[in-house]
Amino acid sequence: MPIDCLGCRIARGLEPGVQIVYENEWLACVLDIAPFNEGHLLILPKVHVLDVEEMELSTAHAIMEASRMLSVALKRAFRPDGITICQNGGRFNDLGHYHMHLIPRYEGDGFAWSDPLHSHGAEQRLERTREVLRGVLREPN
């Protein structure tokens, strides 16, 4: 565990004021300190990884199981209209440690998935994009 990694410290309960809702040997689920809505959770692995492809399958499985369980808990506790589950990777990961958001959502809450700032025409290349990805998937690792 890199001691300078805030995500590692949060996942291991070493940061003051961290509100751990659930944890097991692979992960910790904590309340976001700047919640979009009440109950906004972060799921963090206890081992240091930045992106999803870096983690062991056991950790990835544990994260998905926790997201299922916690989605049910959020729905029972807060009666949202839905749940948004998202994760930002690479340079968009502002924590420098993998974390998945579970956000209770309500109609009109202002959360938005925005359109791209610049037209890229990707919608015109769906067949080509599919073939590019299928080709990469066929390549040996």
Side-chain angles (χ1 to χ4, degrees):
M1 170 187 84
I3 198 67
D4 60 337
C5 176
L6 178 59
C8 286
R9 293 193 313 270
I10 291 169
R12 297 191 177 264
L14 301 176
E15 279 296 302
V18 169
Q19 302 297 316
I20 296 175
V21 172
Y22 171 80
E23 71 178 314
N24 61 31
E25 66 183 279
W26 296 282
L27 54 84
C29 305
V30 304
L31 290 173
D32 192 304
I33 62 168
F36 189 83
N37 283 319
E38 188 171 12
H40 180 165
L41 294 167
L42 301 178
I43 302 175
L44 300 99
K46 290 184 175 179
V47 297
H48 182 73
V49 293
L50 177 63
D51 288 318
V52 65
E53 70 273 10
E54 297 173 8
M55 70 179 67
E56 298 289 328
L57 287 178
S58 57
T59 301
H61 178 72
I63 288 170
M64 289 309 296
E65 282 296 316
S67 73
R68 284 181 66 243
M69 177 189 61
L70 291 164
S71 289
V72 170
L74 288 168
K75 287 176 181 178
R76 287 179 59 198
F78 300 109
R79 306 273 187 237
D81 295 319
I83 305 284
T84 290
I85 298 174
C86 59
Q87 186 273 326
N88 295 311
R91 71 179 329 150
F92 302 101
N93 181 335
D94 59 350
L95 189 56
H97 184 99
Y98 178 93
H99 59 289
M100 176 186 282
H101 294 261
L102 275 70
I103 306 168
R105 297 288 313 288
Y106 303 91
E107 270 192 58
D109 66 9
F111 190 97
W113 190 280
S114 68
D115 291 325
L117 293 178
H118 309 285
S119 176
H120 46 61
E123 70 278 3
Q124 303 298 319
R125 299 186 302 274
L126 296 177
E127 286 184 42
R128 188 180 120 224
T129 302
R130 179 192 67 206
E131 292 309 313
V132 167
L133 289 170
R134 285 181 172 177
V136 170
L137 289 168
R138 286 191 294 269
E139 293 174 0
N141 293 331

